[in-house]
Amino acid sequence: MTQARPLSLITGASAGIGAAFAHALAARGHNVVLTARRTDRLETLAAELRATHGIDATVLTNDLAEPHAVEQLCRALDERGLQVDWLINNAGYGVPGRFDENDWPVHADFLRVLITAPTELAWRLIGGMRQRGYGRIINVASLAGHVPGTAQHTLYAASKAYMIKFSQSLALENQALGVQVCALCPGFTRSEFHDVTGTRAMMNKLPDLMWQSAQAVVQEGIDAVERGEAVHVTGRVNRTIKALFKLMPDRLALKMSARQSKRYRAQDSST
C-alpha cells in the first residue's frame, strides 16, 4: 500500500508537546494518528487539524500503561491499513514524591509509559520503515537525561537517560537505510506537565528565559531529525546547562543539582 501523504503517529497527543507535534506535522501535509487516554481532547484536536489543514486525522484512544497497549495500537493501525512514517514517542508524565513512598504499581505504570511502550513501538514499526527506505522517529527525552538525577522524581531522569542512549543506538543501526532517529531533549516547556505533578506554583518562580513554548521545542525537534541528529537539546540556555554540567566533576554536579532542585519541588522533611 502506498500512502498519498506521510503518516505520523503521535503518542500523548492530547495536549502540550504532543498536540504541538500534531499541528506542526499536519501543517507539513502529514496525515496523523493521535493517541492518548482522553478521547474528547483527541477528537477536538483531530477535528481542528482536518478543518485547518485538510488532512486525515485518526483517533485511537489508548492507555500505554496497560501491558498490551502497544500490541493493540499496532493491530488497530494494521486493520486500517495505516503505515507509520513518523513515530513521535511523546507520552510521559512525572511521579512526584520519595521513591519508597509510592506504591510499586505506580512505578510500574510509569516505566511502561516512559520506557517499555516507546521501545516496543519503535520495535514494531521500524521494520516497515526500513523496508520502505524512509522513516523518522523522535523520542521525546529531556535535558534531565543529561544532568544528575534529583530527589523526589526518582525515575524521571533515569527514564530520559535511557531514551537518549536508546535513540543513539537506533540511529546508528538505521541511518544508512533512510530511517533517522532523534532523542529530543527539552528543558522547561510550557505545558500541563507541572499542573499534573502539582508543581506549577514552584515552577512559576523560574525566570522566563528558562522556558520554551511547546511549538518552539517541536520545530527544533523536526529540524533536528531531518538533519540526522541523534540527540538534540533544545534552546541555548539548555545547551549551556548541559555543557556546564558535563565539565563539572560528578560530586560537584550532584551537589549543585540537589541544591537547585530543592527550590522547585515540594519539600520532604526526610530528604
Side-chain angles (χ1 to χ4, degrees), residues 6-271:
L7 178 70
S8 293
L9 169 63
I10 305 158
T11 71
S14 59
I17 291 174
F21 262 115
H23 279 286
L25 292 169
R28 289 167 62 99
H30 291 213
N31 292 331
V32 296
V33 176
L34 310 174
T35 186
R37 294 177 300 168
R38 295 178 288 188
T39 304
D40 55 342
R41 287 201 176 195
L42 293 177
E43 292 288 5
T44 298
L45 175 59
E48 182 180 349
L49 296 174
R50 295 184 197 109
T52 303
H53 303 291
I55 55 93
D56 291 335
T58 302
V59 169
L60 295 176
T61 306
N62 194 283
D63 183 356
L64 293 177
E66 297 295 327
H68 301 292
V70 172
E71 181 181 3
Q72 293 166 356
L73 178 58
C74 291
R75 185 184 304 122
L77 293 170
D78 290 340
E79 290 171 352
R80 292 163 174 78
L82 298 174
Q83 297 176 335
V84 174
D85 300 298
W86 283 59
L87 169 61
I88 311 298
N89 273 319
N90 166 73
Y93 59 98
V95 176
R98 207 178 68 207
F99 181 64
D100 59 305
E101 290 182 336
N102 284 296
D103 293 335
W104 176 248
V106 173
H107 293 313
D109 286 353
F110 176 90
L111 292 170
R112 277 193 290 268
V113 174
L114 273 288
I115 295 180
T116 304
T119 306
E120 184 179 352
L121 272 170
W123 178 77
R124 289 184 178 275
L125 297 176
I126 202 166
M129 295 178 183
R130 288 168 60 96
Q131 289 176 0
R132 296 188 296 274
Y134 176 81
R136 301 288 185 266
I137 297 176
I138 297 178
N139 293 318
V140 179
S142 173
L143 175 64
H146 292 283
V147 301
T150 61
Q152 297 197 33
H153 275 284
T154 321
L155 297 179
Y156 188 78
S159 70
K160 297 304 185 180
Y162 166 84
M163 292 306 294
I164 291 167
K165 297 301 184 184
F166 171 60
S167 299
Q168 289 173 325
S169 296
L170 205 60
L172 290 173
E173 289 178 0
N174 294 279
Q175 61 186 358
L177 296 170
V179 180
Q180 295 173 189
V181 182
C182 179
L184 178 62
C185 303
F188 293 110
T189 306
R190 299 194 185 279
S191 70
E192 294 182 351
F193 181 89
H194 299 291
D195 298 310
V196 174
T197 59
T199 57
R200 172 58 60 197
M202 288 171 283
M203 289 300 104
N204 286 341
K205 299 175 184 178
L206 285 167
D208 286 342
L209 63 85
M210 296 293 293
W211 292 92
Q212 282 187 292
S213 68
Q215 291 75 18
V217 167
V218 164
Q219 190 57 58
E220 287 197 43
I222 292 172
D223 292 344
V225 76
E226 290 285 47
R227 288 193 300 266
E229 291 185 42
V231 180
H232 180 78
V233 178
T234 68
R236 291 182 181 178
V237 170
N238 295 324
R239 289 191 286 272
T240 300
I241 292 171
K242 177 197 170 187
L244 289 173
F245 272 101
K246 190 173 182 179
L247 292 171
M248 290 181 193
D250 288 347
R251 180 178 294 183
L252 176 60
L254 189 60
K255 285 183 178 180
M256 180 173 288
S257 179
R259 185 165 57 247
Q260 291 300 315
S261 68
K262 285 181 180 180
R263 300 171 58 192
Y264 304 111
R265 61 172 170 83
Q267 295 302 308
D268 181 334
S269 60
S270 63
T271 61

